[in-house]
Structures are given as structure tokens and as C-alpha cells.
């Protein structure tokens, strides 16, 4: 982990309430798929945790949704050329073994963004089948990145584009055809819960990246703890954000 003063290269709207932020770090910082960063925003005391979508040399791209005062300030007050204080890379990302060759990727909402990094990292090494869910056509973004997968299925809740339904439903409709060796997923907790239930008897590992409120991002404040099946507690920022679905309570 490093704390860097990064220079904003671009901060643009790419879908309904979704922005893409690219910054320059002046040094190459190795980032694994599924890791995140903490970005300082003005006078706000706490940094904002944001998944890393792309790491290209000294250029890092993250995407975020307008939600509270911090992200709205980030979107409106920070332009190209301005500086950001960033902690990165944070957390444990997605790791796959050599014998896991066919990988299904299932995402929903802002959960698609850490999965973009997984598609980018593994597309040249594995067979990737991506199932990404959005609220509606207006929320769809990053399609070109998803098309790096061997197969990409877009789903919308209202049927305005692609499959009419959720990403989990679209994936399970094709499960027996794809027969993946592992599943990588990120999205709202109800989506992850549905995926865990649908795959519980399939005999394959499902790795989920959890979305939790975070204070520090380094495991000190304990804001982001989650329950584990053995009764213990885990820090999503430090011990995760990626866990095997069977290990955590959703």
C-alpha cells in the first residue's frame, strides 16, 4: 500500500449517476484484480473506498456512483490537472489456480467495476463468461471492457436492453452449458445471496467481493466487519474484500 498524490487526467460522466476517474500516479503501482483504493475528497474526514477498474502503468481508472456528499463533491469539484490523495492498492483481490480454466463473472450495479479488472487480468489466460446486470439501458457502461470476455451477456431489470432479468438469472440459465470451474461476483448483497443459493449444490467455488461501508480501508477502524460462517468476524477491507461465498454470511 502507498499513499500517493495523484494528478487527475479525466473525471467524466459515463452513465446515469456514474463517473469514470483516471489519475496519474508518477510511478507504476502493481494492482491485482479486485483491489481498491481510498480517495481523499476535500474537507471530508473519511476517504472514499472505490474499486480499481484499470491499472495501466502509471494510469489508474476507477468508477464511482453519485451517492453522498463525498462522491458528489468528487464529481463536481475535481477536474483534470487537479491533485488527489490516494491510498492504494488495498485489500485482497481475486486469485485463480491453474486448473480453474473456465470462469464465470457475475456482476450487478457498481459491482461490475472490480469485475472489469478481473476480466482484464484473466481474459488472455482463461475462458471468461461475463454476465453483467444493470437497472436499465441508461445505467449501462463499460461495455467494451466486458467484451474482452469470450462471451458477454448484458441484463437489465426492466428489459430495456439485453436479457430481461438479473445477471444471476442470466448466468444460471446457461450454467449447464458453460460449466465453469469458478465464479467471480460482486454486487448488492441480495444479488450475492441469490447467487450463493443458486450455486450451493454445483460443487464449484464462488468468490464474492463484498461491498461495505469503510472508514480507514486498512483494517484499523472495524467499520466494515462481516460475519463468517464459523462465527468469527472478518474485516472486509483487510481480510477481503474477496471471500469464498461459502465462508461468509450474506
Amino acid at each position: 500500500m502507498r499513499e500517493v498524490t495523484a494528478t487527475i487526467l479525466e473525471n467524466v460522466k459515463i452513465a446515469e449517476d456514474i463517473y469514470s476517474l483516471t489519475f496519474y500516479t508518477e510511478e507504476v503501482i502493481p494492482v491485482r484484480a479486485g483491489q481498491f483504493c481510498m480517495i481523499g475528497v476535500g474537507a471530508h474526514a473519511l476517504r472514499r473506498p472505490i474499486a480499481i477498474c484499470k491499472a495501466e502503468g502509471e494510469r489508474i481508472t476507477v468508477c464511482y456512483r453519485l451517492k453522498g456528499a463525498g462522491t458528489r463533491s468528487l464529481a463536481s469539484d475535481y477536474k483534470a490537472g487537479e491533485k488527489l490523495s490516494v491510498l492504494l492498492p488495498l485489500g485482497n483481490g481475486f486469485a485463480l489456480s491453474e486448473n480453474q480454466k473456465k470462469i464465470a463473472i457475475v456482476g450487478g450495479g457498481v459491482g461490475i467495476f472490480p469485475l472489469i479488472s478481473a476480466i482484464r487480468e484473466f481474459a488472455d489466460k482463461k475462458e471468461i463468461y461475463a454476465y453483467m446486470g444493470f437497472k436499465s439501458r441508461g445505467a449501462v457502461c463499460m461495455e467494451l471492457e466486458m467484451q474482452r470476455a469470450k462471451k458477454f451477456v448484458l441484463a437489465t431489470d426492466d428489459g430495456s436492453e439485453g436479457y430481461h432479468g438479473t445477471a444471476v438469472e442470466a448466468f444460471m440459465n446457461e450454467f449447464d452449458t458453460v460449466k465453469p470451474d469458478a465464479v467471480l461476483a460482486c454486487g448488492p448483497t441480495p444479488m450475492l445471496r441469490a447467487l450463493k443459493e443458486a450455486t450451493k449444490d454445483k460443487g464449484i467455488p464462488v468468490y464474492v467481493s463484498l461491498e461495505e461501508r469503510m472508514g480507514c480501508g486498512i483494517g484499523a477502524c472495524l467499520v466494515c466487519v462481516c460475519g463468517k460462517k464459523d462465527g468469527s468476524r472478518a474485516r472486509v477491507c483487510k481480510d477481503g474484500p474477496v471471500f469464498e461465498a461459502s465462508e461468509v454470511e450474506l
Side-chain angles (χ1 to χ4, degrees), residues 219-232:
C221 71
L222 304 182
V223 168
C224 64
V225 293
C226 69
K228 300 191 73 176
K229 200 164 186 179
D230 63 6
S232 65

Side-chain angles (χ1 to χ4, degrees), residues 116-134:
I116 295 296
S117 67
I119 293 173
R120 291 176 64 88
E121 182 167 322
F122 299 123
D124 292 338
K125 310 165 190 173
K126 313 282 187 181
E127 285 186 29
I128 302 295
Y129 299 82
Y131 302 84
M132 300 296 199
F134 301 86

Side-chain angles (χ1 to χ4, degrees), residues 96-102 125-126 181:
L96 295 171
S97 66
E98 286 293 325
N99 64 345
Q100 293 172 325
K101 301 184 185 300
K102 296 177 72 174
K125 310 165 190 173
K126 313 282 187 181
D181 299 314

Side-chain angles (χ1 to χ4, degrees), residues 108-112 114 186-189 192 209-214 236 241:
V110 294
I112 71 168
C186 187
T189 298
L192 298 181
S209 179
L210 301 186
E211 300 175 342
E212 293 287 347
R213 292 181 63 87
M214 294 181 185
V236 171

Side-chain angles (χ1 to χ4, degrees), residues 155-248:
T156 52
D157 293 341
D158 65 0
S160 53
E161 176 136 347
Y163 176 83
H164 186 181
T166 70
V168 174
E169 292 166 350
F171 166 53
M172 295 309 300
N173 284 345
E174 298 188 358
F175 185 93
D176 292 334
T177 301
V178 175
K179 296 179 180 177
D181 299 314
V183 182
L184 312 183
C186 187
T189 298
M191 187 206 94
L192 298 181
R193 191 180 299 124
L195 178 65
K196 180 178 179 178
E197 177 65 23
T199 57
K200 67 180 181 180
D201 298 322
K202 299 297 185 181
I204 60 168
V206 177
Y207 302 103
V208 295
S209 179
L210 301 186
E211 300 175 342
E212 293 287 347
R213 292 181 63 87
M214 294 181 185
C216 67
I218 58 174
C221 71
L222 304 182
V223 168
C224 64
V225 293
C226 69
K228 300 191 73 176
K229 200 164 186 179
D230 63 6
S232 65
R233 307 286 281 174
R235 300 162 297 178
V236 171
C237 67
K238 185 75 171 180
D239 304 316
V242 176
F243 299 91
E244 192 163 346
S246 61
E247 296 179 351
V248 292

Side-chain angles (χ1 to χ4, degrees), residues 47-131:
R47 296 173 186 261
R48 267 48 188 177
I50 304 179
I52 296 171
C53 292
K54 296 188 281 186
E56 303 167 297
E58 298 90 350
R59 295 169 59 100
I60 304 289
T61 297
V62 303
C63 292
Y64 62 96
R65 172 186 288 158
L66 299 185
K67 189 173 182 180
T71 49
R72 292 186 183 280
S73 175
L74 184 59
S76 62
D77 301 338
Y78 288 83
K79 311 299 182 185
E82 297 187 31
K83 304 294 185 181
L84 285 173
S85 175
V86 186
L87 285 177
L88 81 164
L90 298 170
N92 296 298
F94 295 105
L96 295 171
S97 66
E98 286 293 325
N99 64 345
Q100 293 172 325
K101 301 184 185 300
K102 296 177 72 174
I103 310 300
I105 289 182
V106 184
V110 294
I112 71 168
F113 300 128
L115 297 175
I116 295 296
S117 67
I119 293 173
R120 291 176 64 88
E121 182 167 322
F122 299 123
D124 292 338
K125 310 165 190 173
K126 313 282 187 181
E127 285 186 29
I128 302 295
Y129 299 82
Y131 302 84

